[in-house]
Amino acid sequence: MSETTDAPPKHEKKLSREAMYNIIRGPVVTEKATNASAQGQTVFRVAIDATKPEIKAAVEGLFNVKVLAVNTLVVKGKVKRFRGRPGRRSDVKKAYVRLAAGQSIDLSSRMA
């Protein structure tokens, strides 16, 4: 008996429009994010449990663009004081999305 070594092709999971909006929480509008747009990158706040393939599918589905790469990072919440008692802000996940040449996302207009 011979087994094939070829793995089955990976199929991207179809996301509903609601799931796309749950993954992409909103754009990050900072000086660093604005400078990244010059290199064809856009920065989004995303769900903390979102994976890179899910983020790619959500951005492509919502904005009708071709995504080349997705880099993610988790910003740990700061410890702050509220009325004298220590508290902690929530962790936030950001995604740097690199778009194909000649494509851009206009964040000043409303999402699709």
Side-chain angles (χ1 to χ4, degrees):
M1 294 180 154
S2 64
E3 293 184 25
T4 59
T5 57
D6 296 331
K10 293 182 181 179
H11 297 290
E12 289 189 14
K13 187 170 65 170
K14 288 287 188 181
L15 295 173
S16 68
R17 200 119 178 111
E18 180 183 0
M20 290 180 195
Y21 281 116
N22 286 336
I23 292 171
I24 305 295
R25 299 287 167 89
V28 174
V29 183
T30 60
E31 188 174 354
K32 185 175 181 179
T34 305
N35 289 339
S37 66
Q39 281 79 37
Q41 290 184 330
T42 307
V43 186
F44 294 102
R45 281 186 311 112
V46 295
I48 199 79
D49 59 346
T51 63
K52 290 182 181 184
E54 289 174 341
I55 295 168
K56 178 180 178 178
V59 171
E60 287 179 345
L62 288 175
F63 299 104
N64 297 320
V65 293
K66 177 69 177 150
V67 175
L68 296 180
V70 176
N71 294 335
T72 60
L73 63 110
V74 176
V75 179
K76 300 297 182 183
K78 296 170 75 172
V79 175
K80 304 289 273 184
R81 298 188 84 70
F82 180 71
R83 293 187 181 175
R85 299 188 181 271
R88 189 167 185 277
R89 290 183 181 170
S90 300
D91 295 346
V92 176
K93 189 172 193 176
K94 293 194 291 186
Y96 284 79
V97 178
R98 188 162 48 108
L99 303 175
Q103 294 191 338
S104 65
I105 296 174
D106 184 19
L107 295 176
S108 62
S109 67
R110 176 176 169 256
M111 279 215 277

